Amino acid sequence: MTLSILLVVSAALFCIGLLAALSRRHAIFILIGIEMMLAAANLNFIAFWRFGPQPQQPTGVMVAIFAIAIAAAEAAVGLALVIAVYRHYRTTNVDELDQLKG
Amino acid sequence: MNSAAFFIIAILTIAAALAAASLRTLIHAALSFALAFVGVAAFFFLLGAEFVGLVQVFVYIGAVAVLIVFTILLTRRDVGKDRGFNWSGVVVAVAVFAGLLWAILKTPMLSIAAPPIEALTVKRIGEVLMTDYVWPLQCVGLVLTAALIGALILVMEEKRE
Amino acid sequence: MNPWIVSNIWLVPAVPFAASLSILFLRNSRRTGAAALAIIGQVVSLALSILAFLLTLQTPGYRAFHNFTWFTFGEHAVRIGWVLDPLAAAMLLMITLVGLCIFIFSIGYMAEDKSFTRFFAYLSFFSAAMLGVVIANSLLLLFVCWELVGLASYLLIGFWIDKPSAAAAAKKAFITTRIGDLGFFLGILWLYGGSGTLLFYDDGRGCLENAGLLALSASATFVALLIFFGSVGKSGQFPLHVWLPDAMEGPTPVSALIHAATMVAAGVFLVARVYPLFSLGAINGVTPSLTVVVWIGVITGLMAAFIALAQSDMKRILAYSTVSQLGLMMVSLGVGGVAAGIMHLLAHGFFKALLFLGSGSVIHGCHHEQDIRKMGGLRRLMPVTFVTYAVGMMTLSGVPLFFSGAWTKEEILHVTAHWPGSHVPHYLMMAGVVLTALYMTRQMIYVFFGNRRVASEQAHESPSVMTRPLIVLAFCTIILSVVLTPAWPWLHDYLSGATPQFDFARLIQPMLFVSFALVAAGIGLGLLMYRNVGSQDRHRTADTDPLEQAQPALFRFLENKMWLDELYAHTVIAFSAFAARVSDWMDRYVWDGFVRGVGRVGQLFGIFTANVDERGINAGVDESVTGTRGLGRLMSMAHSGQVQTYLGAIAIGMLALLLFYAWLA
């Protein structure tokens, strides 16, 4: 197991998250995709910590912990937003949410 | 560290993620999402960051996945409708993956093996959190509180004029 | 270290000034308060003046000054200060004493006036300004006070402002003296440019001391003449004397103050103060500037004496006599007799105040009638006024021994006789003495002797508040002669800084007898000429003047003041009116046309630019706005409102960045 193969896995995970966020029409899928991209980033942090020159310093681990905390907050707010949007527009289809159209 | 275990976990995780991104039924996708996150947690264990792996399991499987399921239940009326699939997103995602893959494989210094290290104990993580990272910790606490209150305000009943 | 009184001599003018300000804040009905304030101010000034005077007695030629910086601009510090020397001390004493008498007299004279308080405020102000002139140790400070004197005279001459003649006289006095002040101001500027200081005395650096005079050298003549021009205006010298007789329009105490103690004295005082400028580079005691002073004085003195002979207004006669006496003083200064000139100024201050107040008493008694031809026989009706007026008249005429005027006049004739420049002024001055005695005799006969006429029917003696100052002044006039005799010339030596010595032999001089003879001739001629005036019929106006019978043409000429006013009206004033008309025409047609032309050009340019704006710039702006709008429409197409589109754009951008960095590596 080398660092590069690990990075390939996390890159794949990131791109699957991106795919979900870009292609699916349901708002919950977008959130799921974003969570996947965050998990891929966390994986990278841990990997670089583990294979890095100074594994005694737990910096990568710390960033990963904080990132998970922030991701949890983001998920809570994001899902609350989905519910609020659903209440207001009676839909969770992001194609129909085009108030920002210029 | 075991290469076989690594490949099994990798394949499992990627497959679960793909399922989460592409399954038509929302509830199935949510379950696949949880499975993919178990896979990520397994990677953390594998890499010696047991504490992060545990946190990952608690936060994502215990909280975020449950939240998603509840959200699906609350927006149930909308679930049945057929939705299309945006293929242009697939093209972009594949392109980004190709770019990343090319960049990773092009860099030779990345193909190194992991050095042996001492185990990172929970005690040490606690010490570091309470000394070097005490200010970021406080800030995260604040952010979580704010997010909690914000989420509550967002989902409260809109007042009818 | 200066004594207290030297550094605080500013209090002498400051106290009357403060009194003046406080009176202005009083209500019109507070008559007693106003008079009391003014008189208290004057008494305090007098007391301080006596203190200062006593100090100067200690050493002959005492001089102390107190200078300080008033303000600084750039590298120049404007310094002012005050000086105490015999000249200033004697003037202070005379002004405050005479002023006090005039103030007290005014209480009676102005008793029925509705603006009683205003009058006393102005009087105090006048006195304060004049005291400021006297103590100034800087030409600048002197000039400031000088102008304040001018302002005060304007206010007081025009005191009865509802009288058109009074308003005109005030204006005339102000403008005429202003012509002189212009010269004075130019002189100050030249002096500052030449010597770099306006202080008189400054430990050897002042403009009257060696260093300052050395810096001036050749230009001193011009500076002196310019300053003298200011004196000419203020002291009523020819050709700027015309305002002085007109100033009789003011209340009589004001005339007394102007003619005796304050305004006209300022001009003579100024020449005496800056005398080193005049005498710089003197050859045998003669300089060009002093020669000018002498001849102006001679012309003024003689001309005014002649005019006085043919006037019928009681105060106008005195006014011309003042002009004449001032001419005499100028002659004295010009020929080098500074002390003699100042002595005459001081003596004149007392006896002219006495005469004016006496005439005020007469006018008051005759119910504000000023024509001497309507008076007569007042000798018995107003005994106190008569006696004091006679003292004044004899002093002015120069009756010897007991009257101060005689000694000072004799002294002036004495110095004039020894002037190396010319003997003509000496003889002309002697003629002036005869004329003075003549016109004063004429006035006495008309007013006090003979039968009563129209105005003196109901005459009465003035109240004691008016007669007491007369008595005091008459007494002073006589007392003063003690220190003026050639046997013990105390005042002369005090002023010139020598130690007085008693020498009886000096009393007997040929000049003394000559001047006695002249006075006797004048009075005798007067008695002879006007002997019949008194016996003319009662209860009507006197008949034609004896001089008029003998020489009608000459009398007309003199009565009309040698037609000088008319001459000015047809030359200076006519020219000024013509210049005003020309300026008006120029303004109306030439400059206005020019301005309108400029305006028209501006208007044309405006039309042109408006066109450019409309057709060129506006079109360009419209074009660019259309372009911007089209571009904006194009850009807004990218904003679909689809969150996923945005996210995809971000991903593509990220990919592009990645490829860019990879390509760089």
Side-chain angles (χ1 to χ4, degrees):
Chain A
M1 187 179 72
T2 58
L3 179 57
S4 52
I5 194 76
L6 208 55
L7 289 180
V8 170
V9 172
S10 81
L13 201 57
F14 181 87
C15 288
I16 294 165
L18 188 63
L19 179 88
L22 286 183
S23 301
R24 302 302 295 252
R25 297 258 151 76
H26 202 286
I28 292 172
F29 275 105
I30 295 177
L31 269 175
I32 288 174
I34 288 169
E35 294 296 333
M36 272 194 220
M37 287 192 272
L38 273 167
N42 276 346
L43 191 55
N44 266 15
F45 277 119
I46 298 293
F48 277 106
W49 162 70
R50 182 67 183 78
F51 290 85
Q54 282 181 314
Q56 284 75 31
Q57 297 289 324
T59 315
V61 176
M62 286 302 147
V63 174
I65 290 170
F66 286 125
I68 289 168
I70 298 296
E74 177 257 316
V77 175
L79 290 168
L81 272 172
V82 170
I83 293 170
V85 166
Y86 174 74
R87 283 217 188 112
H88 197 83
Y89 296 103
R90 292 279 140 201
T91 181
T92 49
N93 187 347
V94 287
D95 276 1
E96 293 170 32
L97 305 174
D98 56 357
Q99 294 283 300
L100 280 176
K101 186 174 168 58
Chain B
M1 231 180 283
N2 189 324
S3 295
F6 171 80
F7 281 109
I8 291 166
I9 294 167
I11 290 163
L12 197 74
T13 307
I14 303 277
L18 271 172
S22 58
L23 282 175
R24 293 189 84 84
T25 320
L26 251 178
I27 201 88
H28 293 171
L31 291 174
S32 308
F33 165 78
L35 194 62
F37 273 64
V38 171
V40 173
F43 272 122
F44 292 162
F45 278 99
L46 207 59
L47 286 170
E50 291 85 359
F51 181 73
V52 185
L54 273 173
V55 169
Q56 176 87 358
V57 171
F58 290 157
V59 171
Y60 280 101
I61 290 93
V64 177
V66 173
L67 259 180
I68 288 172
V69 172
F70 267 102
T71 310
I72 292 165
L73 288 176
L74 282 170
T75 59
R76 191 169 194 122
R77 234 175 290 164
D78 208 35
V79 172
K81 289 178 195 163
D82 187 42
R83 285 151 200 272
F85 195 80
N86 197 344
W87 287 100
S88 64
V90 181
V91 175
V92 171
V94 170
V96 169
F97 181 67
L100 285 173
L101 200 62
W102 173 70
I104 293 162
L105 296 179
K106 182 173 169 272
T107 317
M109 61 174 281
L110 290 177
S111 27
I112 45 169
I117 54 158
E118 312 168 13
L120 183 64
T121 59
V122 178
K123 183 169 178 261
R124 171 136 168 78
I125 289 172
E127 272 170 12
V128 173
L129 261 184
M130 286 302 156
T131 54
D132 295 350
Y133 292 88
V134 68
W135 286 114
L137 188 69
Q138 300 297 328
C139 291
V140 165
L142 207 64
V143 167
L144 284 173
T145 314
L148 188 68
I149 295 167
L152 269 173
I153 289 169
L154 277 171
V155 296
M156 274 198 300
E157 285 287 332
E158 277 181 61
K159 287 196 178 112
R160 304 283 171 206
E161 291 294 318
Chain C
M1 197 57 213
N2 279 325
W4 178 83
I5 187 70
V6 174
S7 4
N8 291 286
I9 195 114
W10 59 274
L11 282 170
V12 176
V15 170
F17 186 67
S20 161
L21 282 185
S22 348
I23 294 168
L24 278 179
F25 284 106
L26 286 180
R27 262 179 292 130
N28 251 351
S29 55
R30 306 293 292 271
R31 289 164 170 259
T32 324
L37 265 174
I39 285 167
I40 288 168
Q42 203 67 12
V43 166
V44 171
S45 273
L46 177 61
L48 289 167
S49 300
I50 289 170
L51 265 179
F53 182 70
L54 291 176
L55 184 70
T56 58
L57 286 182
Q58 288 169 0
T59 38
Y62 181 89
R63 175 172 292 138
F65 49 84
H66 177 80
N67 295 330
F68 58 92
T69 304
W70 185 19
F71 60 82
T72 314
F73 57 94
E75 293 173 356
H76 297 268
V78 176
R79 300 177 72 212
I80 57 172
W82 27 85
V83 64
L84 179 63
D85 55 5
L87 177 65
M91 286 294 290
L92 285 180
L93 204 57
M94 188 273 281
I95 294 166
T96 47
L97 191 56
V98 172
L100 184 60
C101 292
I102 293 169
F103 278 35
I104 293 170
F105 181 87
S106 303
I107 298 173
Y109 191 82
M110 301 298 286
E112 282 136 40
D113 201 277
K114 61 183 191 306
S115 307
F116 188 80
T117 50
R118 185 163 60 97
F119 184 74
F120 274 92
Y122 289 170
L123 273 192
S124 280
F125 177 52
F126 203 171
S127 171
M130 185 62 203
L131 292 167
V133 168
V134 171
I135 63 159
N137 187 29
S138 149
L139 207 51
L140 184 65
L141 183 59
L142 196 150
F143 185 68
V144 170
C145 295
W146 178 275
E147 291 298 329
L148 290 178
V149 168
L151 170 65
S153 72
Y154 170 78
L155 292 172
L156 280 169
I157 294 169
F159 183 73
W160 286 320
I161 200 76
D162 359 320
K163 246 167 73 180
S165 60
K171 215 162 65 184
K172 189 171 176 182
F174 199 65
I175 293 169
T176 313
T177 51
R178 183 48 36 84
I179 295 168
D181 293 347
L182 181 65
F184 186 14
F185 190 61
L186 290 175
I188 291 176
L189 294 181
W190 197 333
L191 181 64
Y192 189 69
S195 68
T197 178
L198 288 176
L199 289 172
F200 295 139
Y201 302 104
D202 188 18
D203 284 330
R205 294 186 301 276
C207 65
L208 297 185
E209 293 169 306
N210 293 333
L213 292 175
L214 209 64
L216 276 175
S217 63
S219 57
T221 303
F222 301 103
V223 173
L225 281 176
L226 282 169
I227 293 177
F228 180 62
F229 201 54
S231 282
V232 167
K234 216 63 152 186
S235 280
Q237 300 295 295
F238 178 82
L240 297 180
H241 67 281
V242 288
W243 67 270
L244 197 47
D246 284 26
M248 295 301 109
E249 291 295 340
T252 308
V254 172
S255 308
L257 207 54
I258 289 177
H259 285 260
T262 57
M263 185 143 168
V264 296
V268 179
F269 173 80
L270 177 65
V271 174
R273 177 56 91 200
V274 298
Y275 198 73
L277 288 177
F278 284 88
S279 63
L280 183 65
I283 304 155
N284 207 5
V286 180
T287 63
S289 46
L290 284 178
T291 310
V292 171
V293 174
V294 170
W295 285 108
I296 291 283
V298 168
I299 294 170
T300 312
L302 216 57
M303 179 199 69
F306 269 116
I307 294 175
L309 209 52
Q311 297 298 310
S312 58
D313 184 315
M314 191 170 182
K315 280 169 70 184
R316 268 180 195 271
I317 295 170
L318 293 176
Y320 277 105
S321 108
T322 305
V323 175
S324 165
Q325 297 302 309
L326 290 166
L328 193 64
M329 292 172 212
M330 284 298 184
V331 172
S332 173
L333 292 172
V335 299
V338 183
I342 294 301
M343 273 156 63
H344 194 59
L345 178 64
L346 295 170
H348 177 261
F350 283 102
F351 69 71
K352 191 47 69 68
L354 171 60
L355 284 171
F356 264 110
L357 295 186
S359 78
S361 174
V362 169
I363 292 164
H364 189 72
C366 295
H367 307 284
H368 292 272
E369 179 55 63
Q370 303 194 358
D371 194 335
I372 57 169
R373 286 170 304 186
K374 295 178 183 171
M375 299 169 181
L378 289 173
R379 181 167 42 117
R380 293 185 202 290
L381 293 168
M382 307 175 80
V384 182
T385 308
F386 168 65
V387 171
T388 51
Y389 201 85
V391 169
M393 173 262 169
M394 283 191 273
T395 316
L396 175 56
S397 308
V399 174
L401 290 182
F402 299 114
F403 305 106
S404 52
W407 300 113
T408 54
K409 214 174 258 189
E410 191 266 338
E411 181 76 32
I412 291 173
L413 287 177
H414 192 75
V415 289
T416 322
H418 291 91
W419 193 45
S422 164
H423 283 293
V424 180
H426 178 59
Y427 298 121
L428 290 177
M429 280 302 98
M430 282 159 78
V433 170
V434 177
L435 284 171
T436 308
L438 181 61
Y439 66 70
M440 283 316 290
T441 311
R442 169 176 177 261
Q443 192 191 32
M444 283 299 282
I445 290 173
Y446 264 105
V447 174
F448 289 104
F449 291 94
N451 295 326
R452 292 185 218 167
R453 284 183 288 271
V454 188
S456 49
E457 284 295 314
Q458 306 291 321
H460 57 84
E461 181 59 286
S462 302
S464 60
V465 72
M466 288 167 74
T467 53
R468 292 241 173 85
L470 291 177
I471 295 166
V472 169
L473 284 171
F475 193 65
C476 287
T477 304
I478 293 168
I479 286 291
L480 202 58
S481 66
V482 173
V483 294
L484 291 171
T485 57
W488 192 55
W490 181 84
L491 188 59
H492 184 284
D493 292 337
Y494 166 70
L495 286 171
S496 53
T499 315
Q501 275 161 358
F502 187 81
D503 182 4
F504 194 75
R506 278 187 297 193
L507 194 59
I508 316 298
Q509 280 172 350
M511 205 63 234
L512 190 67
F513 297 109
V514 173
S515 79
F516 288 177
L518 292 173
V519 174
I523 294 179
L525 190 62
L527 289 173
L528 195 69
M529 277 175 71
Y530 299 101
R531 65 185 184 283
N532 293 324
V533 171
S535 58
Q536 282 164 357
D537 288 346
R538 297 169 66 117
H539 312 310
R540 47 181 287 255
T541 312
D543 292 335
T544 29
D545 196 277
L547 183 64
E548 194 178 0
Q549 285 170 340
Q551 294 284 338
L554 179 66
F555 189 79
R556 287 275 151 262
F557 179 62
L558 296 178
E559 191 181 24
N560 289 297
K561 307 158 234 166
M562 300 189 174
W563 310 106
L564 273 176
D565 272 336
E566 285 73 11
L567 180 70
Y568 288 166
H570 286 102
T571 54
V572 180
I573 296 167
F575 174 75
S576 142
F578 172 73
R581 261 198 304 280
V582 169
S583 306
D584 179 55
W585 186 85
M586 289 286 278
D587 230 26
R588 226 175 264 279
Y589 299 103
V590 179
W591 302 123
D592 235 30
F594 181 67
V595 169
R596 259 183 229 155
V598 170
R600 187 74 203 145
V601 168
Q603 210 173 0
L604 287 175
F605 184 69
I607 291 168
F608 171 72
T609 48
N611 271 321
V612 169
D613 244 22
E614 206 74 40
R615 313 251 157 82
I617 296 171
N618 266 13
V621 171
D622 282 352
E623 203 54 46
S624 72
V625 165
T626 314
T628 311
R629 198 184 286 167
L631 197 65
R633 207 171 288 132
L634 206 67
M635 299 289 271
S636 77
M637 284 178 187
H639 289 261
S640 60
Q642 302 288 322
V643 183
Q644 283 173 318
T645 319
Y646 302 159
L647 197 60
I650 292 168
I652 291 169
M654 196 184 75
L655 182 64
L657 257 180
L658 179 82
L659 291 177
F660 176 70
Y661 279 112
W663 174 72
L664 271 186

